[in-house]
Amino acid sequence: QVQLVESGGGLVQAGGSLRLSCAASGRTSSAYVMAWFRQGPGKEREFVAAISRSGGSTSYADSVKGRFTISRDNAKNTMYLQMSSLKPDDTAVYYCAASPPAVARLPVRDYEYRYWGQGTQVTVSS
């Protein structure tokens, strides 16, 4: 079992940057593939990025590739999402998620993740 808490959201102008953090407690986060999802107003939750247990492999949605960077520090049980060149379309509640321990790849579908944080709001103004 792992508990996830996101932080770092806020209001930023288009073109700006933010760094989100996801702190894990309970079982060590290195046991889990982890990911970021987001849900914009009136939209379905969508995949943003995922990272392997070691941090050596990552996967990104096309919409954020080249602008966002996912990383993790297993010693701190924390995952990050560095967001740059933000656009109004990036406005959403951002969620971190952790997979069941047996997962060996980088899932992109939300139902493949077992544990979820409460979300942090990111608002990008034009």
Side-chain angles (χ1 to χ4, degrees), residues 12 38-41 43 86-94 121-125:
V12 64
R38 67 185 182 185
Q39 186 167 17
K43 299 180 181 179
L86 283 161
K87 306 174 183 179
D89 280 350
D90 295 318
T91 294
V93 177
Y94 283 73
Q121 176 70 47
V122 172
T123 302
V124 183
S125 63

Side-chain angles (χ1 to χ4, degrees), residues 9 16 19 31 35 39 42 49 55 68 82 90 94 101 112 120:
R19 189 176 80 156
Q39 186 167 17
F68 291 10
Q82 178 67 48
D90 295 318
Y94 283 73
E112 297 185 271
T120 186

Side-chain angles (χ1 to χ4, degrees), residues 90-112:
D90 295 318
T91 294
V93 177
Y94 283 73
Y95 299 91
C96 68
S99 70
V103 171
R105 50 187 176 79
L106 301 181
V108 300
R109 303 185 190 279
D110 56 3
Y111 61 78
E112 297 185 271

Side-chain angles (χ1 to χ4, degrees), residues 56-69:
S57 296
T58 57
S59 175
Y60 295 92
D62 287 344
S63 59
V64 306
K65 204 170 291 184
R67 300 189 297 122
F68 291 10
T69 302

